Amino acid sequence: MAEKGKEMNSSASSGASEKKSAETKNEKKEKKIVQVTPSEDYDLSRLTEYSGHTKIFRYLFVAERCKKFEAEAYKTAIAALKQTQNTHVYRKVFERLGEALGPSFGLDQAWADSVDKKAQQQLDRLEHELETAKTSLIKESIRMGNTELGNFHYHRGDMNSALRCYVKARDYCTSGEHIIEMCMNVIRVSIELSNFAHVLNYVAKAEQTPELKDKATIAKLKACAGLSHLEGRKYKNAAKKFLETTIDIGHTFSEIILPQDIAIYGGFCALASYDRQQLKKQVIDNPQFKHFLELVPSVRDLINDFYNSKYASFLENLEKFKSDLQLDLHLHDHIQGLYEKIRNKAIVQYFSPFVSIELKTMAEAFKTDVTSLEKELSKLIMDGVISARIDSHNKRLYAREVDERTTTFDKALKMGSDFETHTKSLLLRVNLVRNDFLVKLPRNEKSEFQHHKKPN
């Protein structure tokens, strides 16, 4: 998962010295946390649709970054933690909070100790059963033992131990269904550990399994691959995977992602990386993705405004989204980059029909001043994104004129030269074949050629 899950889960399985180091790093990260003021439309209750660790970490993520919902988010996260066996994160939250939420929301030490005691008994039983299975040398029993032990560590929040158990189960899988189950377990844990390279490896392994026919599982794998590419800032690949995800996923994967997330992540990645024709064909006219966009009408309207060149409403609505997206567990690190790419594409698309245009007119369309717009355009011109020149005195932007006649002539000359080179190569080969000569590189000599004549 993102940074929140990684911080708490990794420390659950580390030694004392590692814990101290992790806490020091966490303290440094906390200092850099930017406080966010969400829009009036932001609905914290939407997070209740998630389940498992994701639900808890999303509430904690919002609590750390939004003063408006801090108390409510912490209380909901604590209540959710008491429905799990994850006492490590539970204690960690109160180490951070103290008695800030009041006496009614203090640390329940008796509950935590009771859960730890029962968990230790369960761990002893599972380890004994696994040892018994290993003694009997029955593959299925060993696989199930490792899987159950992995599930135990997962629910306790010890993701590293869970990952080790799931990976060990791989050697004892005897069917395609077992391999798919093992891959999904490893993917789920790897996302929470932010090990997205691992996620892609096991997504590929699961997709290569012939027994993979369940549509919901296929959709889950596509969504996980999309998340991995998103975290790797490969927005075009992420968009492709999210757009390939079918509505069969429904709410069956709420411990990782919701259908609304697929609409938001896929929509914004497509806006940042697809051209106008791709946006129409692969997003707007995509029958599968339409189902996701219907769940988030604001994203659908945003994409339509961009395609229809309604820049005023597009930029206004885009800005409204920004603060809410900064409270998203996976998307918050990518907002700046995505918004910059989307805005640059809008500027290029706006200017494309014009030979020249006043900067003042463009500035009004993009809700900025002429000076700031001039700086943006200068950067785009220097980066080769837009072919134009700026008249700073008259405050106009001119498209660079392309001499089509000269360009076509140059292309024709190049094609002629390439054809001549290719023809000479073919003639040389024909002459060699006609005279029964073979040119061969000896085994022991890399720099010399030997010519052998074929025997009659």
Side-chain angles (χ1 to χ4, degrees):
M1 194 175 288
E3 78 187 78
K4 185 55 151 178
K6 186 175 180 180
E7 288 173 13
M8 294 193 171
N9 289 328
S10 60
S11 56
S13 57
S14 302
S17 60
E18 291 176 336
K19 284 183 180 179
K20 188 175 180 181
S21 176
E23 287 170 6
T24 304
K25 289 180 182 178
N26 289 344
E27 287 172 5
K28 289 180 181 178
K29 287 184 180 180
E30 286 171 6
K31 292 177 184 178
K32 296 180 182 179
I33 291 175
V34 178
Q35 290 298 311
V36 177
T37 303
S39 68
E40 294 179 0
D41 297 329
Y42 184 79
D43 184 11
L44 185 66
S45 63
R46 173 181 170 270
L47 300 183
T48 58
E49 296 183 40
Y50 293 98
S51 61
H53 297 293
T54 295
K55 177 180 179 179
I56 295 165
F57 290 129
R58 281 185 177 268
Y59 271 111
L60 292 175
F61 187 85
V62 172
E64 289 183 347
R65 285 161 176 78
C66 180
K67 289 291 182 185
K68 181 180 178 181
F69 295 114
E70 181 180 17
E72 184 183 352
Y74 270 127
K75 288 178 180 178
T76 310
I78 290 168
L81 278 167
K82 292 195 74 172
Q83 303 301 315
T84 71
Q85 295 179 319
N86 197 343
T87 55
H88 174 77
V89 174
Y90 178 77
R91 289 190 174 95
K92 200 80 174 172
V93 169
F94 280 103
E95 283 178 19
R96 211 172 274 178
L97 284 177
E99 297 182 356
L101 298 178
S104 59
F105 271 87
L107 174 65
D108 189 345
Q109 189 64 49
W111 171 83
D113 291 341
S114 173
V115 170
D116 286 343
K117 185 177 179 181
K118 291 178 181 177
Q120 186 58 49
Q121 293 172 351
Q122 185 180 0
L123 176 61
D124 293 341
R125 178 179 60 80
L126 290 172
E127 287 179 340
H128 176 72
E129 290 176 357
L130 179 59
E131 287 301 320
T132 303
K134 286 179 179 179
T135 304
S136 64
L137 299 177
I138 300 174
K139 275 194 169 185
E140 177 60 11
S141 299
I142 298 173
R143 184 193 70 82
M144 289 182 63
N146 278 309
T147 301
E148 288 177 4
L149 196 56
N151 292 338
F152 168 81
H153 288 303
Y154 177 80
H155 293 304
R156 286 285 286 165
D158 187 352
M159 298 301 161
N160 289 318
S161 297
L163 181 61
R164 283 194 294 271
C165 292
Y166 289 142
V167 171
K168 284 178 182 177
R170 177 179 57 185
D171 298 330
Y172 302 96
C173 293
T174 56
S175 68
E177 287 79 8
H178 292 165
I179 293 172
I180 293 168
E181 180 189 359
M182 178 274 300
C183 288
M184 291 304 299
N185 286 333
V186 172
I187 289 167
R188 183 181 56 186
V189 173
S190 296
I191 288 175
E192 302 219 18
L193 287 171
S194 294
N195 189 347
F196 289 99
H198 219 187
V199 172
L200 285 175
N201 289 337
Y202 278 85
V203 165
K205 188 184 290 289
E207 288 180 335
Q208 290 167 4
T209 307
E211 288 83 357
L212 180 63
K213 295 176 182 177
D214 180 57
K215 291 182 178 180
T217 304
I218 295 171
K220 290 176 185 179
L221 293 170
K222 297 289 186 186
C224 291
L227 272 180
S228 298
H229 289 306
L230 174 64
E231 293 293 340
R233 301 185 187 276
K234 297 177 181 177
Y235 300 127
K236 193 166 188 176
N237 291 341
K240 182 176 182 291
K241 291 299 179 181
F242 286 127
L243 293 172
E244 289 175 354
T245 306
T246 62
I247 199 64
D248 298 292
I249 193 172
H251 282 70
T252 61
F253 211 31
S254 59
E255 69 269 26
I256 298 295
I257 197 170
L258 291 177
Q260 294 93 319
D261 296 328
I262 293 171
I264 294 170
Y265 300 165
F268 273 85
C269 287
L271 281 171
S273 55
Y274 283 1
D275 59 34
R276 198 162 179 268
Q277 288 72 27
Q278 289 175 318
L279 207 60
K280 173 68 173 172
K281 183 179 179 181
Q282 299 182 35
V283 182
I284 297 173
D285 293 340
N286 185 331
Q288 285 292 339
F289 199 65
K290 273 184 180 179
H291 295 299
F292 293 107
L293 291 177
E294 291 298 327
L295 299 173
V296 192
S298 49
V299 174
R300 179 196 60 200
D301 296 340
L302 201 65
I303 294 170
N304 286 327
D305 283 346
F306 183 85
Y307 178 76
N308 295 318
S309 303
K310 296 179 180 178
Y311 299 107
S313 61
F314 169 74
L315 291 170
E316 184 180 349
N317 293 327
L318 187 68
E319 197 59 32
K320 285 180 182 177
F321 259 105
K322 194 168 188 178
S323 58
D324 292 353
L325 294 178
Q326 287 173 333
L327 293 176
D328 184 271
L329 189 63
H330 293 293
L331 208 57
H332 70 284
D333 274 341
H334 307 276
I335 296 303
Q336 195 63 35
L338 284 171
Y339 267 58
E340 185 177 336
K341 287 177 180 291
I342 292 169
R343 185 176 175 84
N344 290 347
K345 283 188 63 184
I347 290 173
V348 173
Q349 183 173 303
Y350 180 90
F351 179 63
S352 59
F354 296 98
V355 174
S356 71
I357 189 173
E358 288 188 2
L359 294 182
K360 183 180 178 182
T361 305
M362 281 190 74
E364 289 173 358
F366 286 92
K367 297 186 179 298
T368 185
D369 57 87
V370 173
T371 305
S372 299
L373 178 64
E374 196 170 344
K375 289 180 180 178
E376 281 188 81
L377 290 169
S378 299
K379 187 176 185 302
L380 291 175
I381 292 170
M382 293 294 291
D383 293 342
V385 177
I386 186 170
S387 180
R389 61 184 178 85
I390 301 171
D391 183 346
S392 297
H393 179 69
N394 296 314
K395 300 299 180 184
R396 291 187 71 86
L397 181 67
Y398 292 91
R400 289 193 180 276
E401 296 181 5
V402 179
D403 189 342
E404 296 291 345
R405 186 172 179 274
T406 303
T407 304
T408 305
F409 187 70
D410 289 340
K411 284 182 179 178
L413 284 175
K414 187 176 185 306
M415 287 177 67
S417 176
D418 291 344
F419 178 76
E420 184 181 2
T421 303
H422 184 62
T423 303
K424 285 181 178 178
S425 299
L426 287 174
L427 289 171
L428 176 62
R429 179 174 177 78
V430 167
N431 286 327
L432 287 170
V433 172
R434 183 180 296 167
N435 290 279
D436 293 332
F437 276 94
L438 293 176
V439 179
K440 202 179 197 186
L441 189 67
R443 293 180 183 175
N444 300 326
E445 299 179 13
K446 295 183 178 179
S447 60
E448 297 180 5
F449 289 96
Q450 289 182 343
H451 300 271
H452 299 278
K453 192 171 182 179
K454 291 183 180 179
N456 293 327

